[in-house]
Amino acid sequence: MIKNKVVIITAQGFQDHDIIYTYYRAIEENYDVSIATKNGEPVIGKYGVTVPLDKRAKHNISFDNLKESDFDLVILTGGHEAPDRVRQDKRVKEFITIMANSGKIVAGLCHGPWIMISAGIMKDKVACAYIGLKDDMINAGAHVVEADVVVDNNIITCSYYAEVGKFMRETFSAVERWRNNEILSEHLEL
């Protein structure tokens, strides 16, 4: 069985709920989970949670180590401070663009889609948006609908962290569809 690989990208001031839930749900689904921060340094959330999250967690990786070939999925979490910091980093924007263009899953929760906007991947996508991001999402060329979670091919958006359960279910399903298409493509090439 192939183990799916996910990277959660964040920074100082992240929404604690987003990181905790996405991290442990991905582990529960047997994903290989990495957390990326600017230089791989530990960061602290709005409510005092620090990542790495526990003594068994891997060390955070640096944005320098974000390579599309290493991951099947990227999760961009919220807390307006962290995504605003992350979206200013050229390495992350390039990584997100490459992931999206390669058909891999790019999933943004609450304020996380700010990073997707800055990476330039939202034009002509159907998406939902946190109220504070709606104008940014529209200005980026997305078609915004009122919904908790929207899946547009390999791009997933979630309007509010209280919907993180739905978000993760849709994200896992999208990775499974991507994996099945990838395997089918490999068989067709043989």
Side-chain angles (χ1 to χ4, degrees):
M1 181 171 149
I2 299 169
K3 193 167 190 174
N4 295 312
K5 295 181 178 183
V6 58
V7 61
I8 301 168
I9 299 177
T10 196
Q12 190 72 19
F14 60 84
Q15 178 66 38
D16 304 52
H17 309 79
D18 294 7
I19 296 287
I20 292 168
Y21 193 88
T22 58
Y23 177 82
Y24 288 111
R25 275 297 291 125
I27 288 173
E28 183 179 33
E29 292 295 319
N30 200 34
Y31 277 56
D32 179 355
V33 183
S34 297
I35 296 180
T37 60
K38 185 174 183 175
N39 296 309
E41 75 276 3
V43 292
I44 301 171
K46 287 171 53 172
Y47 303 110
V49 169
T50 302
V51 291
L53 288 170
D54 62 53
K55 66 183 180 183
R56 288 191 246 163
K58 296 188 282 188
H59 292 288
N60 297 343
I61 64 170
S62 168
F63 293 165
D64 288 328
N65 299 110
L66 293 172
K67 294 177 184 63
E68 176 267 337
S69 59
D70 292 342
F71 300 103
D72 307 310
L73 161 66
V74 57
I75 295 176
L76 305 166
T77 58
H80 67 277
E81 182 183 350
D84 193 37
R85 290 174 187 266
V86 171
R87 71 188 187 134
Q88 296 175 47
D89 195 292
K90 181 180 176 183
R91 298 168 293 180
V92 173
K93 291 186 285 188
E94 288 174 356
F95 173 71
I96 298 302
T97 302
I98 292 167
M99 289 286 287
N101 290 341
S102 71
K104 292 189 175 180
I105 309 304
V106 178
L109 171 62
C110 203
H111 277 81
W114 250 351
I115 305 162
M116 299 157 76
I117 290 167
S118 293
I121 65 167
M122 295 309 299
K123 185 169 176 44
D124 298 325
K125 297 293 182 189
V126 177
C128 59
Y130 180 72
I131 188 81
L133 292 184
K134 188 173 182 178
D135 290 343
D136 294 333
M137 193 67 82
I138 291 168
N139 290 335
H143 305 288
V144 178
V145 297
E146 292 298 321
D148 296 334
V149 178
V150 172
V151 179
D152 186 343
N153 293 315
N154 63 321
I155 305 298
I156 303 171
T157 51
C158 180
S159 60
Y160 189 58
Y161 70 81
E163 305 303 337
V164 71
K166 291 178 191 175
F167 171 75
M168 290 304 287
R169 284 191 297 277
E170 291 297 335
T171 299
F172 294 142
S173 292
V175 171
E176 189 64 29
R177 286 190 303 275
W178 171 80
R179 173 87 44 216
N180 288 337
N181 284 336
E182 177 186 79
I183 291 168
L184 179 61
S185 296
E186 287 174 4
H187 292 305
L188 293 175
E189 291 173 9
L190 296 176

